[in-house]
Amino acid sequence: TLPEAEQWQEAIDAEVAQCVSYGTWQDATLSQVKRKWPDVQPIGTRMCFKIKFNSDGSIEKFKCRLVALGYREKEGVHYHETYSAIPRSSTFKLVLAASVQQ
């Protein structure tokens, strides 16, 4: 057991609770998923851990994020189209002008 095991467990619990509150996480077995969505191929997830430090070097918090293993996705199986927001040049100019004025 690590000396920080309790802090890491709290970080994991907080991340899962946040995913549940956002509606992006539901605990299920593979057979439950296959029964509900027979044509869906689930992808895996991974927990990423990071210690955040204060400016004086002391530990601020233990941070954990649940991420999808997106490199396993296949077009047409896991997704059918992608979308990337591209700002108009007028929006970019407005943001740039506002930042220069400050």
Side-chain angles (χ1 to χ4, degrees), residues 33-34 37-44 69-82:
V33 171
K34 284 299 200 178
W37 299 289
D39 298 334
V40 170
Q41 275 300 108
I43 59 172
L69 299 177
Y71 61 86
R72 292 185 179 174
E73 293 181 313
K74 294 184 176 83
E75 185 176 4
V77 177
H78 297 105
Y79 64 91
H80 299 287
E81 59 185 61
T82 60

Side-chain angles (χ1 to χ4, degrees), residues 3-83:
E4 306 93 10
E6 189 174 314
Q7 289 91 341
W8 285 121
Q9 188 61 53
E10 289 172 5
I12 292 168
D13 294 342
E15 175 66 11
V16 171
Q18 184 178 26
C19 290
V20 169
S21 72
Y22 288 157
T24 58
W25 172 280
Q26 185 178 3
D27 203 12
T29 64
L30 184 58
S31 60
Q32 289 171 325
V33 171
K34 284 299 200 178
R35 251 181 296 167
K36 190 168 183 179
W37 299 289
D39 298 334
V40 170
Q41 275 300 108
I43 59 172
T45 58
R46 173 169 287 161
M47 290 283 189
C48 295
F49 300 95
K50 183 177 183 178
I51 299 176
K52 298 205 72 169
F53 295 96
N54 291 317
S55 57
D56 65 357
S58 62
I59 294 176
E60 179 183 349
K61 69 178 178 175
F62 291 79
K63 190 172 181 178
C64 173
R65 287 287 170 246
L66 179 70
V67 296
L69 299 177
Y71 61 86
R72 292 185 179 174
E73 293 181 313
K74 294 184 176 83
E75 185 176 4
V77 177
H78 297 105
Y79 64 91
H80 299 287
E81 59 185 61
T82 60
Y83 173 76

Side-chain angles (χ1 to χ4, degrees), residues 87-102:
R88 296 188 327 229
S89 62
S90 60
T91 305
F92 179 74
K93 289 176 187 176
L94 176 69
V95 171
L96 186 61
S99 65
V100 169
Q101 288 180 355
Q102 293 180 358

